[in-house]
Amino acid sequence: MAHVIRSICIVGGGTAGWLTAGIIAARHGSEDGNGIRITLIESDTIGTVGVGEGTWPTMRTTLKKMGVSETDFFRECNTSFKQGAKFARWVTGDPADFYYHPLVLPEGFPSLDLASAWMEYAEKRQDAPSFSNAVSYQEAVCELGLAPKLITSPEYAGIANYAYHLDAGRFVSFVRDHCVNRLGVHLVVDDVTRVIRNEAGDIAYLETRKSGQLDGDLFIDCSGFRSLLLGETMGVPFVDCSDVLFIDRALAVQVPYDAEDSDIVPHTVSTAQKHGWIWDIGLQSRRGVGYVYSSRHTTADAALGELQAYVGEEHRSLQPREIKIHAGHRRTFWKGNCVAVGLAGGFLEPLEASALVLIELSAEMISGMLPATRETMDIIAKRFNATTQYRWDRIIDFLKLHYILSKREDSRFWIDNRDPASIPDSLKDQIELWRHRAPGDQDFTSNAEMFPAASYQYVLFGMGFRMDTSDREPKGHAGAVEQAFARNESLKIKWTKTLPNNRNLINKIKEFGLQKI
Amino acid sequence: MHLVELSRAEHSGLKIDPDLAEASAARQHLIPVVASEFRKAAIQYPIVFAKHPETGRFGAYVLNGLEPEENLFWTGMKMDVAYVPLNIRRRPFFVGMADSPSGANDNVLCIDIDSSCITASGQKSIVDADGSDSPYLKEILSIVRRLVDGQKHTDSFINTALSLDLLCPIVLDIVLEDGKPLHVEGLYSIDEDRFRALDKESIEILWNEGLMDLIYSVIISTGQIFNLVRLRNERASLNRAWRGNDN
């Protein structure tokens, strides 16, 4: 007789555990008990890592599908808007060196290729606008500290595409409350003492300190770096990626604002340093700042000095928290009846905020493909592994892209990062193609793509990558291209005039709320 | 506009012409209304809901035009309508909560001393010769009271409608007779399909709170949009004729 999947047991109550529980419960749970029973075991002795504070725009759909109100999310999670990232001092290291990776796609993308037209123009004119400024209005909106929507915009709807900055600790409690009170997820507060496998190698049940045995048809490992189920129990080895991505330490600190009404920067600022880079994320009540660096290239003391120089003399007394990072992931992500989500599956430096989005995508995929029986689970596991591996590879490529385009020479960290031996072949191949034409959808043909070709355009041309299109036939759509540039200019005027100050809008959302429609 | 708190002593000498109040709505396409007006308003205007630009909160309005600053009922002399909303008739008097987003100064009667209704040829004063409130002021006070009381009822109607997911955006894609396309956004109405699909418990809530009449008034009033389109077409052809004569 078929072994029907009726219950899911999630181990670990961090962001990964609760988001996964929420995503699956919103689709498969039910109040009448006919759905899948979802249990989450959370330790009250093990803390969470809690530095995942930047999301992708996907989080809007994720929260909406879970039935969360965006107004509540702003009120309870210290939430603010994120309209992409500003990369400072990545190219030359000069104080004036910066570029944007906005979330709004280039005007007319993907049917129009503004990148080639911009490059042609930029090569002739010294005063040409930056690529992102020429093709999108969002850089201008960000530079003015404006929000991506209006108080009259419905929940989750934006004028400019947006994601969030959030307080990871508060976010976990917020999602936990929603899962337990609204989505019927069963919470067990306890520690797992032993994981028991059956003769087929599957996880049979968990032994706990106080709550006896916990069983399940599918176990989801959200235990963090420890990877209790997938790594320790199922023995899936870790694939180290530190030969490509050198960052292995983070020093994180919370920086208060000067005043209660200080502006909230509406994008992530990533500022390159001598041996890594510093993230700077503006929440409502504080900034989250952290230096991620390579311990093979510098010492903890030197890194601390750079971080202190960044946050300024007045914040010298703040004590940063050190987090060890192991760049890499498990060889497979789903084995037997166990699948890992979040840090238990792997971790990469937060340069493109890939941690939370990978949790969402993995949980969404588990939820969407949830096998009906144990017998069909291995088929699903195979697909899940292929897709997830592809996603990790694309993220690694994209992160590495930022390093290989840098022209910084001020340390071995930057020079070593451009060593061809450290660059994945898949990325080398793409770069070769892009020497002659702009990244386009033809370069990204999987339905599991992480970054649109537009993201590659923003980074490549933001970082001064040279593309020679003289050997190619002119496209013959010059009129449409000119119109698109003009349209972007008028959108820039319109939205910089209309959109409100970022903090003002957040204050209004907290006071009046956003409407659902 | 310059609002000051009304003082019977200080403002006793003001001469007011209430007929000029309607002129202040000449360029207003949305006029706020309260629930107690819905039935009368429905015979003339589409009743719609729109968000306050400063708070995003919904209010109830009658629609006078198909574009911002357009009032198709304004003839140049008066509003050619069977029912003039209380929010026009109260002018040049104001109550904090009716127009301000904060509502901080509610229940304070104010007067706009810049209003064109205040004119030497005005026949109305706020106090009679003996210093008592004039019938005109009594009428204004009665209108204002109806607005203040009505606002609470209107807000609770909107909140109930929202909690039952009964509001939905109206998308108006109109092609006028002269071929000009008109896309009207930012207006909301009652979602009839959802209303008709409500379960018994929800219907009971609406019934017990006395909101059924309001919902039907809104639904029926929607047809008045055709009248606005008709007026708009007439105005356009008059304009064309005018320009034709002018040339």
Side-chain angles (χ1 to χ4, degrees):
Chain A
M1 219 179 94
H3 176 165
V4 177
I5 306 301
R6 295 187 201 282
S7 66
I8 295 175
C9 181
I10 300 171
V11 175
T15 321
W18 284 112
L19 267 181
T20 302
I23 289 167
I24 298 177
R27 179 163 175 153
H28 295 284
S30 74
E31 284 159 23
D32 58 13
N34 287 330
I36 304 269
R37 183 182 165 88
I38 300 164
T39 306
L40 187 148
I41 176 164
E42 170 179 278
S43 168
D44 53 4
T45 58
I46 307 169
T48 58
V49 175
V51 288
E53 299 197 322
T55 82
W56 278 24
T58 48
M59 188 59 83
R60 285 152 61 190
T61 318
T62 296
L63 294 179
K64 193 176 182 184
K65 274 197 201 163
M66 279 168 55
V68 166
S69 139
E70 191 179 34
T71 302
D72 292 346
F73 174 52
F74 269 91
R75 285 177 179 156
E76 293 180 36
C77 300
N78 212 345
T79 310
S80 64
F81 292 110
K82 166 180 169 179
Q83 300 180 73
K86 178 179 184 171
F87 292 91
R89 311 179 85 157
W90 273 77
V91 183
T92 62
D94 285 349
D97 155 27
F98 78 87
Y99 74 96
Y100 269 84
H101 175 193
L103 298 178
V104 170
L105 297 175
E107 190 60 31
F109 183 88
S111 53
L112 279 179
D113 173 23
L114 293 194
S116 306
W118 171 81
M119 178 132 289
E120 233 171 82
Y121 182 76
E123 285 187 344
K124 281 182 247 159
R125 297 281 300 265
Q126 281 293 312
D127 61 341
S130 70
F131 175 69
S132 70
N133 235 334
V135 303
S136 149
Y137 61 86
Q138 199 158 31
E139 174 173 336
V141 168
C142 287
E143 285 286 294
L144 291 170
L146 305 180
K149 64 194 285 183
L150 305 168
I151 190 67
T152 50
S153 309
E155 287 197 332
Y156 299 115
I159 284 168
N161 192 15
Y162 68 89
Y164 306 107
H165 293 140
L166 51 84
D167 179 315
R170 290 210 214 165
F171 184 56
V172 170
S173 317
F174 178 71
V175 179
R176 179 201 290 120
D177 287 351
H178 186 78
C179 285
V180 172
N181 299 328
R182 307 284 288 280
L183 297 175
V185 176
H186 302 273
L187 165 63
V188 176
V189 180
D190 208 337
D191 289 308
V192 175
T193 50
R194 246 179 102 200
V195 184
I196 309 298
R197 300 173 75 180
N198 65 21
E199 59 278 12
D202 277 6
I203 295 171
Y205 59 88
L206 311 174
E207 281 180 4
T208 64
R209 202 175 299 285
K210 305 173 293 203
S211 319
Q213 293 182 2
L214 279 187
D215 47 19
D217 301 309
L218 172 65
F219 288 84
I220 304 183
D221 187 351
C222 298
S223 64
F225 288 129
R226 186 177 170 194
S227 196
L228 173 67
L229 304 186
L230 190 74
E232 285 187 21
T233 307
M234 305 299 269
V236 175
F238 184 76
V239 180
D240 189 278
C241 300
S242 61
D243 53 333
V244 180
L245 298 167
F246 305 156
I247 300 274
D248 63 353
R249 291 285 187 283
L251 285 174
V253 68
Q254 300 186 352
V255 183
Y257 284 112
D258 296 338
E260 209 174 295
D261 59 351
S262 291
D263 275 341
I264 303 173
V265 175
H267 51 269
T268 300
V269 182
S270 156
T271 307
Q273 306 292 315
K274 205 170 171 194
H275 302 103
W277 57 274
I278 286 176
W279 78 75
D280 191 337
I281 279 176
L283 303 181
Q284 291 171 25
S285 65
R286 62 167 172 86
R287 285 153 61 205
V289 179
Y291 185 12
V292 281
Y293 64 95
S294 160
S295 71
R296 280 172 286 172
H297 291 90
T298 189
T299 63
D301 280 350
L304 182 61
E306 281 185 84
L307 180 62
Q308 282 172 338
Y310 179 89
V311 296
E313 196 55 39
E314 67 274 29
H315 300 302
R316 206 177 174 80
S317 59
L318 294 172
Q319 285 299 316
R321 190 158 64 101
E322 191 192 52
I323 302 149
K324 288 197 169 72
I325 294 170
H326 306 281
H329 53 79
R330 296 286 149 183
R331 174 154 293 146
T332 56
F333 306 91
W334 194 324
K335 184 176 179 187
N337 66 340
C338 171
V339 56
V341 177
L343 300 176
F347 183 74
L348 296 171
E349 59 179 274
L351 185 58
E352 285 287 350
S354 47
L356 291 175
V357 68
L358 266 176
I359 293 170
E360 295 166 70
L361 290 172
S362 298
E364 194 59 51
M365 192 167 25
I366 295 168
S367 180
M369 308 198 310
L370 195 68
T373 64
R374 175 62 190 91
E375 288 73 18
T376 51
M377 193 182 282
D378 292 346
I379 305 169
I380 297 301
K382 208 166 140 189
R383 292 183 184 176
F384 182 90
N385 284 328
T387 300
T388 308
Q389 179 66 53
Y390 184 85
R391 286 180 170 150
W392 280 90
D393 289 344
R394 291 296 76 72
I395 296 172
I396 292 167
D397 278 0
F398 191 62
L399 297 183
K400 186 66 174 178
L401 180 72
H402 296 67
Y403 290 101
I404 66 174
L405 296 174
S406 173
K407 300 179 177 72
R408 287 183 71 132
E409 303 267 354
D410 53 325
S411 74
R412 288 305 308 174
F413 173 79
W414 293 100
I415 295 163
D416 292 351
N417 249 307
R418 297 195 288 273
D419 178 355
S422 75
I423 306 172
D425 289 341
S426 48
L427 179 58
K428 283 183 190 154
D429 285 352
Q430 298 277 43
I431 291 283
E432 281 314 308
L433 295 177
W434 296 334
R435 290 191 196 288
H436 304 283
R437 61 159 173 80
D441 282 354
Q442 68 272 37
D443 300 313
F444 303 95
T445 53
S446 164
N447 62 0
E449 290 301 345
M450 293 297 298
F451 298 90
S455 289
Y456 284 83
Q457 292 189 355
Y458 281 128
V459 174
L460 281 167
F461 306 127
M463 295 191 76
F465 179 79
R466 304 276 294 201
M467 172 176 72
D468 180 6
T469 57
S470 59
D471 53 342
R472 299 179 69 83
E473 300 270 312
K475 291 256 174 59
H477 56 233
V481 165
E482 283 311 310
Q483 280 170 20
F485 282 126
R487 207 156 52 234
N488 183 54
E489 286 311 304
S490 63
L491 285 172
K492 205 181 289 177
I493 292 166
K494 178 176 179 184
W495 294 126
T496 51
K497 268 192 201 159
T498 317
L499 290 169
N501 170 278
N502 195 34
R503 184 181 287 281
N504 285 355
L505 180 64
I506 292 169
N507 284 344
K508 272 193 186 175
I509 291 172
K510 290 169 78 179
E511 184 179 357
F512 302 113
L514 292 166
Q515 302 289 344
K516 289 200 164 49
I517 52 169
Chain B
M1 184 171 329
H2 182 193
L3 293 185
V4 296
E5 193 174 338
L6 187 73
S7 148
R8 283 170 178 77
E10 204 177 308
H11 299 126
S12 62
L14 291 182
K15 298 289 180 196
I16 298 165
D17 182 352
D19 290 344
L20 296 177
E22 290 176 22
S24 64
R27 290 167 67 79
Q28 219 179 331
H29 79 306
L30 290 172
I31 297 170
V33 286
V34 293
S36 54
E37 298 180 272
F38 279 16
R39 225 182 234 254
K40 290 174 200 153
I43 61 161
Q44 185 73 54
Y45 316 84
I47 299 169
V48 298
F49 304 92
K51 291 176 186 171
H52 195 287
E54 292 300 316
T55 66
R57 291 204 170 149
F58 279 106
Y61 299 86
V62 289
L63 186 65
N64 291 256
L66 297 171
E67 287 180 89
E69 303 203 341
E70 176 178 74
N71 187 337
L72 293 165
F73 297 117
W74 175 249
T75 62
M77 298 294 288
K78 62 177 183 105
M79 293 264 287
D80 184 18
V81 290
Y83 175 74
V84 180
L86 297 174
N87 263 308
I88 303 297
R89 281 151 62 195
R90 65 167 164 73
R91 291 178 188 177
F93 298 91
F94 287 80
V95 177
M97 67 179 283
D99 276 23
S100 85
S102 66
N105 56 342
D106 56 345
N107 292 332
V108 175
L109 187 63
C110 300
I111 184 164
D112 174 16
I113 53 167
D114 285 351
S115 167
S116 56
C117 300
I118 302 173
T119 163
S121 61
Q123 299 298 306
K124 305 285 187 190
S125 303
I126 59 165
V127 287
D128 284 343
D130 62 359
S132 63
D133 287 2
S134 68
Y136 169 63
L137 182 59
K138 282 178 187 160
E139 168 67 11
I140 291 289
L141 286 171
S142 145
I143 289 174
V144 163
R145 206 168 298 122
R146 277 188 277 166
L147 279 173
V148 171
D149 294 346
Q151 193 60 47
K152 288 178 201 135
H153 190 199
T154 314
D155 289 344
S156 97
F157 168 62
I158 289 173
N159 287 337
T160 305
L162 283 172
S163 71
L164 295 173
D165 285 335
L166 286 183
L167 294 197
C168 65
I170 315 177
V171 182
L172 289 180
D173 272 311
I174 300 164
V175 180
L176 297 169
E177 277 172 8
D178 57 6
K180 188 183 171 196
L182 209 55
H183 186 66
V184 184
E185 273 183 338
L187 303 179
Y188 298 77
S189 187
I190 297 284
D191 185 330
E192 255 188 88
D193 292 340
R194 291 195 71 101
F195 170 61
R196 297 196 193 288
L198 283 180
D199 56 22
K200 222 176 130 193
E201 289 74 27
S202 307
I203 291 286
E204 243 173 57
I205 294 173
L206 294 173
W207 183 260
N208 292 337
E209 292 182 15
L211 304 178
M212 266 326 203
D213 289 4
L214 299 180
I215 286 180
Y216 280 113
S217 298
V218 173
I219 289 175
I220 290 166
S221 79
T222 311
Q224 301 288 357
I225 285 172
F226 293 109
N227 191 37
L228 290 179
V229 174
R230 182 184 66 85
L231 289 170
R232 174 67 188 254
N233 281 328
E234 276 180 17
R235 185 171 282 197
S237 66
L238 276 173
N239 284 342
R240 277 197 305 277
W242 172 257
R243 279 198 304 270
N245 292 342
D246 207 27
N247 283 340

